[in-house]
């Protein structure tokens, strides 16, 4: 792949399987984009929720700090 897009459940967060996929992408030397899907189901969102979620991903998974993180909802079209 030229670019790998990892779609993660925004409510569930990054799982062990997601971590294995991220490591495979890194080992292959490919660019990575992390998509937090089901953003419409995240409870109690405010103007800082996206930034907080991205910051937490960067802290918990520093090996993918290079990857842009975007939020979306395939069902509602929110933030697409």
């Amino acid at each position: 792949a030229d670019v790998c897009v990892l779609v993660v459940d925004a409510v569930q967060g990054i799982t062990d399987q997601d971590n294995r996929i991220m490591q495979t992408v890194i080992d292959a030397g490919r660019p990575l984009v992390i998509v937090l899907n089901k953003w419409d189901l995240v409870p109690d969102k405010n103007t800082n929720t996206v930034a907080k979620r991205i910051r937490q991903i960067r802290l918990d998974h520093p090996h993918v700090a290079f990857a842009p993180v975007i939020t979306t909802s395939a069902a509602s079209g929110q933030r697409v």
Side-chain angles (χ1 to χ4, degrees):
D2 291 327
V3 176
C4 299
V5 178
L6 179 64
V7 180
V8 175
D9 184 314
V11 176
Q12 184 179 9
I14 295 176
T15 65
D16 289 339
Q17 180 67 22
D18 296 327
N19 275 319
R20 286 190 288 276
I21 293 169
M22 287 188 294
Q23 191 58 54
T24 300
V25 171
I26 291 168
D27 293 345
R30 298 295 180 209
L32 173 67
V33 176
I34 300 170
V35 177
L36 300 178
N37 191 30
K38 299 184 182 178
W39 193 250
D40 56 317
L41 301 179
V42 173
D44 303 322
K45 292 185 294 277
N46 61 45
T47 57
N48 299 318
T49 304
V50 173
K52 286 179 184 177
R53 196 62 71 93
I54 291 171
R55 191 172 329 120
Q56 193 61 50
I57 289 171
R58 304 256 186 263
L59 288 172
D60 294 344
H61 309 281
H63 58 290
V64 293
F66 64 89
V69 179
I70 39 181
T71 60
T72 190
S73 170
S76 73
Q78 181 181 9
R79 300 186 65 95
V80 172

